[in-house]
Amino acid sequence: MRRAIALAEAGERADGAAPIGAVLVSDGTVIGEGHNRVGELCDPSAHAEIVAMRAAGQRTRQPRFAGATLYSTLQPCGMCTMASIWAGVRRIVYGAERNQVHQMYFEDRHFETMDFIRDAFRDDMQVTGGVLAADCAALYYGPGDDPPREAQANLPPDRSGGPTE
């Protein structure tokens, strides 16, 4: 998880990146890692977890990572969870829980990582949350924070329904 935090911190300094880091480990070896590159690549699927899986695919020349563990600084969204399921990841370990961070980091209100896993045809997948949670949560705006509107890419331009600038 500490490596994922370091990647998140590096990503935060990169242009257009949210501070999310992910590491994919198989048999004790890092096979892929990355940070959020959505803004940098203008690619809505370039979440840290997906970037790490793409790197693992390039490294292993395989599309599946059976038995691997995915570490992420933030609870994975639905897209990243489903990609993990399709990739054969056996375990997801994440730091900050969605209730520890501002809502802008998630597109949905109610879907939880476990909802996707529970509905998948996978009985062997495990999820462990809250690992180094305080360190990970410190990377993000908190639930009560008032982040600048331009930082809130996942929220509508004006949530009040009134005119925008």
Side-chain angles (χ1 to χ4, degrees), residues 15 17 22 24 29 37 41 53-54 57 62 111 116-117 133 135 151:
D15 184 38
L24 190 60
T29 301
R37 298 181 67 196
L41 299 176
M53 284 187 249
R54 288 177 180 157
Q62 298 292 321
F111 289 124
F116 291 96
I117 293 170
D135 294 338

Side-chain angles (χ1 to χ4, degrees), residues 14-107:
D15 184 38
I20 303 168
V23 179
L24 190 60
V25 176
S26 181
D27 295 323
T29 301
V30 173
I31 59 172
E33 63 182 26
H35 62 78
N36 187 306
R37 298 181 67 196
V38 170
E40 175 189 348
L41 299 176
C42 298
D43 177 355
S45 70
H47 289 198
E49 299 90 339
I50 302 294
V51 171
M53 284 187 249
R54 288 177 180 157
Q58 291 297 309
R59 179 175 179 176
T60 65
R61 311 306 290 160
Q62 298 292 321
R64 291 185 51 81
F65 318 111
T69 298
L70 176 67
Y71 294 88
S72 179
T73 55
L74 183 61
Q75 182 176 345
C77 71
M79 175 183 69
C80 295
T81 302
M82 287 304 297
S84 298
I85 291 168
W86 279 97
V89 170
R90 172 129 188 187
R91 186 171 176 225
I92 296 173
V93 178
Y94 63 86
E97 307 264 353
R98 65 187 301 141
N99 64 357
Q100 293 178 287
V101 301
H102 194 272
Q103 67 182 358
M104 71 184 211
Y105 297 106
F106 293 91
E107 285 289 342

